[in-house]
Amino acid sequence: MTESFVVQRETQIAAPRATVFAYLTDPEKILSWMGADATTEPHPGGLYLLKSVGPRGAAARGAFREVVPVHRLAYTFGWEGGQEVPPGSSLIEIDLIERDGGTLLRMTHSGLPNADQAAAHAKGWAHYLERLTIAATGGDPGPDRGVSNKS
């Protein structure tokens, strides 16, 4: 069995869980902090599709495995045309925990194939969770310029 690499992040968001959940599942709200086009069907087996910004314009595709409104999301993830992380090859799990008058978002991205991909996805998550925190609290994170990666 090959080794799997994992990215874990936590961020505190000064917004209710229902608001944060909407920013993770509603395509219009997703686009306020990530991507150029989004399609989501937030139910087990439903589609997760996000076209990223930038010159590559890659699309991330997966399927929802678990959807517990305002509490938890789990969906497969990968890049269309991606050799190292193809669609559905990794798993993103997000838990929303009520804490300090807001929401603690705890994210685990598992199933990444190597250290380079884990580092690239860690950089992406740091960038996008910061943007999510701004958007979910009513701020404007500005245009999404993506994350520059060599991957």
Side-chain angles (χ1 to χ4, degrees):
M1 182 171 157
T2 59
E3 184 178 0
S4 173
F5 292 82
V6 176
V7 174
Q8 293 182 307
R9 291 281 181 272
E10 285 188 356
T11 189
Q12 180 70 28
I13 303 173
R17 286 182 300 178
T19 299
V20 177
F21 189 83
Y23 275 88
L24 294 167
T25 56
D26 179 314
E28 189 174 307
K29 291 186 182 322
I30 291 169
L31 294 179
S32 71
W33 62 278
M34 178 181 356
D37 190 30
T39 302
T40 59
E41 299 167 350
H43 57 80
L47 176 67
Y48 176 90
L49 179 63
L50 180 73
K51 183 177 179 194
S52 62
V53 297
R56 290 181 16 201
R61 177 182 291 272
F64 285 95
R65 284 194 178 169
E66 192 176 351
V67 180
V68 181
V70 311
H71 294 283
R72 180 173 168 78
L73 287 172
Y75 54 94
T76 61
F77 179 92
W79 298 100
E80 289 185 343
Q83 300 283 326
E84 291 187 278
V85 186
S89 66
S90 66
L91 180 65
I92 296 170
E93 298 171 276
I94 298 173
D95 291 298
L96 302 176
I97 302 152
E98 198 172 308
R99 182 171 294 164
D100 299 329
T103 302
L104 174 67
L105 182 148
R106 184 174 290 148
M107 184 280 311
T108 301
H109 189 164
S110 60
L112 295 165
N114 57 50
D116 287 345
Q117 285 297 319
H121 285 83
K123 182 178 179 181
W125 278 112
H127 171 76
Y128 283 113
L129 289 178
E130 180 180 335
R131 291 178 57 79
L132 169 61
T133 299
I134 294 166
T137 56
D140 180 2
D144 181 8
R145 304 209 190 290
V147 179
S148 60
N149 280 331
K150 291 186 268 180
S151 61

